[in-house]
């Protein structure tokens, strides 16, 4: 049985280039996914902070309202 022909230098070179391009595409996609995940996490964190500040603000307003009605009650 004749031996299988060896791959030519050109074929090896083409295979290496294709493998490198595939690797580059995978890395690029992974980086894009990482950026998207990071951006989503940042947006969620900002939203949580915004909600916490809004709640704190409404609690402060409620405390001020209660103090005002207490003062009114004292003055009556």
């Amino acid at each position: 049985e004749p031996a299988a022909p060896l791959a030519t230098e050109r074929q090896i070179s083409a295979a290496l280039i294709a493998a490198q391009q595939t690797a580059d595409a995978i890395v690029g996609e992974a980086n894009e996914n990482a950026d998207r995940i990071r951006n989503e996490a940042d947006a969620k964190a900002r939203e949580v902070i915004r909600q916490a500040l809004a709640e704190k603000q409404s609690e402060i307003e409620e405390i001020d309202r209660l103090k005002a009605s207490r003062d009114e009650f004292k003055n009556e």
Side-chain angles (χ1 to χ4, degrees), residues 32-59:
E32 283 174 20
N33 286 338
D35 286 343
R36 183 178 48 74
I37 291 165
R38 201 167 22 247
N39 291 338
E40 286 173 7
D42 285 348
K44 282 180 185 164
R46 278 194 295 272
E47 178 60 18
V48 167
I49 291 167
R50 190 194 64 72
Q51 283 182 343
L53 290 173
E55 284 173 25
K56 180 183 169 196
Q57 186 58 39
S58 66
E59 285 170 6

Side-chain angles (χ1 to χ4, degrees), residues 4-69:
L6 293 173
T8 66
E9 199 174 327
R10 201 181 65 217
Q11 287 171 322
I12 292 169
S13 181
L16 288 173
I17 290 168
Q20 184 63 56
Q21 288 171 339
T22 302
D24 290 345
I26 291 168
V27 170
E29 194 177 332
N31 284 331
E32 283 174 20
N33 286 338
D35 286 343
R36 183 178 48 74
I37 291 165
R38 201 167 22 247
N39 291 338
E40 286 173 7
D42 285 348
K44 282 180 185 164
R46 278 194 295 272
E47 178 60 18
V48 167
I49 291 167
R50 190 194 64 72
Q51 283 182 343
L53 290 173
E55 284 173 25
K56 180 183 169 196
Q57 186 58 39
S58 66
E59 285 170 6
I60 288 170
E61 287 165 8
E62 177 68 5
I63 289 167
D64 288 344
R65 194 183 63 73
L66 289 170
K67 281 180 183 171
S69 55

